[in-house]
Amino acid sequence: MSASVASACHAVAANVAAARSARGRASVRRGGDAVCGARATRVIAPRGNARLGVVMNSMDELDAEAAAVMEQIRQLQEANQKLKEDMDLFAMPEALPQRPDYVPEAGSTQGTSAPKSSFSADVLGMEMPYLGEGETRVGFQHFDKVENEKARMEAMRVEQAARVTGVTPRPPPKYEKTEWPLSIVFVSSEATPWSKTGGLADVCGSLPRELVKRGHRVMVVSPYYQRGTKEDTYFEGAFDTCSNASVGCFGAAHEVGFMHQIRDGVDFVFVKHDCYERPGGIYVDAMGNAWEDNQFRYTLLSHAACEAPLKIDFEGKGTYGDEVVFVANDWHAGLVPLVVASKYRQYWNTYHNARTITVIHNILHQGSEPATTFPNL
């Protein structure tokens, strides 16, 4: 802005000087009515097309034009001064003094400066991050090392996968809470990590956890196996709910207990009965032969699973109630839809709003039994 004002001043001065010189020369050529340095006595009327910046024939007009330009210059100078005052309001303050580096105590093996981390000045808006002293500082440094290593390994995994397959892996899913949360009961003969022979256990051990992330309330009902294997140790975290139930099948009433363990928000409920506590496999004995009472064992599981939502009072949440969705997995839980419809709805006046889903994981295993055993169910 200052350079523009100075340029305008020089231009006006040059125009005024040129005008006066031209006026002197014009008066001499027109008959000597005026001498150099004096005002001309002959006044020539101004042309009608006179414009700013053009030399005029009349000194009065020239002086008026100069006065108008000087007024413009004065206005520009005032605007320039006001602009300077406005810009001073946004001037940056002086930089804050730097916080001195951390000096460790005598004999300490800690460094004298903190590593750049999630607590850095970039994030906190501070000149220097404060990470505490002593063990607190060491803890933050260890946390940063672990997180940085995790990020580095993840980046290497993604890069390697993209290089080998040519496909960049999808980012982790973002879970959104559902607007219509449900109470869901999975019934399965096995669930990872407590018991497993195949993919059925993987599904019933992982899918419920994903449903919980979306806002559903989920229970998994499975047998409380005690087979003398390392998997038995996983049941150590389960506690007795003191909600025993009596179920009728195979011509008698059988009392079952319910053990409860929470993992990742899922209520894992294990049906406790003597038929599940024996050495050998889940479905076969030590010789590889199928247990002769498998039909009874999993009929008992289906009946007990129907009792669990009504009997078990989960501390702080209450029972699941009768408005649930049963997910019966494979033939081991195949009786659940039948028992809900023919027993509980018809005779016990409950589960009217319940829904049942049958999921077949392996059609090869159907739990075929002679028709003569059907009355036992």
Side-chain angles (χ1 to χ4, degrees), residues 40-59:
T41 58
R42 180 186 296 177
V43 178
I44 302 175
R47 294 191 299 273
N49 63 344
R51 299 186 306 274
L52 295 179
V54 178
V55 177
M56 303 296 178
N57 291 326
S58 171
M59 286 299 298

Side-chain angles (χ1 to χ4, degrees), residues 133-179:
E133 309 292 343
E135 294 182 358
T136 303
R137 186 184 187 88
V138 174
F140 277 130
Q141 292 177 346
H142 176 70
F143 171 81
D144 289 331
K145 289 180 180 179
V146 172
E147 292 301 311
N148 292 338
E149 183 63 18
K150 287 182 179 179
R152 187 182 70 84
M153 295 299 295
E154 179 64 18
M156 290 178 59
R157 185 188 67 80
V158 172
E159 181 181 357
Q160 182 179 7
R163 184 170 59 252
V164 173
T165 64
V167 179
T168 302
R170 292 184 300 175
K174 296 182 179 180
Y175 301 102
E176 296 182 359
K177 296 294 185 180
T178 179
E179 297 180 1

Side-chain angles (χ1 to χ4, degrees), residues 86 126 191 284 291 301 363:
D86 293 340
M126 300 168 55
V284 298
W291 295 111
L301 174 65
I363 195 65

Side-chain angles (χ1 to χ4, degrees), residues 223-371:
Y224 183 81
Y225 296 111
Q226 293 295 301
R227 302 180 289 119
T229 62
K230 63 178 182 180
E231 284 79 9
D232 295 350
T233 59
Y234 292 115
F235 291 99
E236 293 178 357
F239 62 90
D240 193 346
T241 62
C242 299
S243 303
N244 292 4
S246 178
V247 298
C249 63
F250 279 75
H254 306 274
E255 185 175 2
V256 296
F258 296 106
M259 308 295 289
H260 179 219
Q261 184 173 355
I262 301 177
R263 179 167 294 192
D264 296 334
V266 181
D267 293 309
F268 287 92
V269 174
F270 304 106
V271 179
K272 186 176 176 60
H273 191 269
D274 293 341
C275 65
Y276 304 123
E277 302 178 16
R278 60 180 67 161
I282 295 177
Y283 310 114
V284 298
D285 58 20
M287 302 300 295
N289 300 316
W291 295 111
E292 294 182 356
D293 60 346
N294 272 344
Q295 186 184 29
F296 166 74
R297 298 169 77 208
Y298 297 112
T299 298
L300 188 68
L301 174 65
S302 297
H303 283 273
C306 294
E307 287 288 321
L310 304 174
K311 286 283 187 179
I312 304 176
D313 186 3
F314 296 93
E315 184 176 357
K317 296 183 178 180
T319 64
Y320 273 61
D322 62 348
E323 295 187 5
V324 299
V325 178
F326 285 101
V327 182
N329 295 273
D330 274 348
W331 73 267
H332 318 93
L335 286 177
V336 170
L338 177 62
V339 172
V340 168
S342 63
K343 177 182 177 181
Y344 287 89
R345 284 179 184 163
Q346 186 172 359
Y347 297 104
W348 289 21
N349 196 31
T350 187
Y351 284 139
H352 290 289
N353 294 322
R355 297 294 180 266
T356 59
I357 301 173
T358 300
V359 181
I360 300 175
H361 298 261
N362 192 338
I363 195 65
L364 179 63
H365 303 290
Q366 301 181 12
S368 300
E369 297 288 345

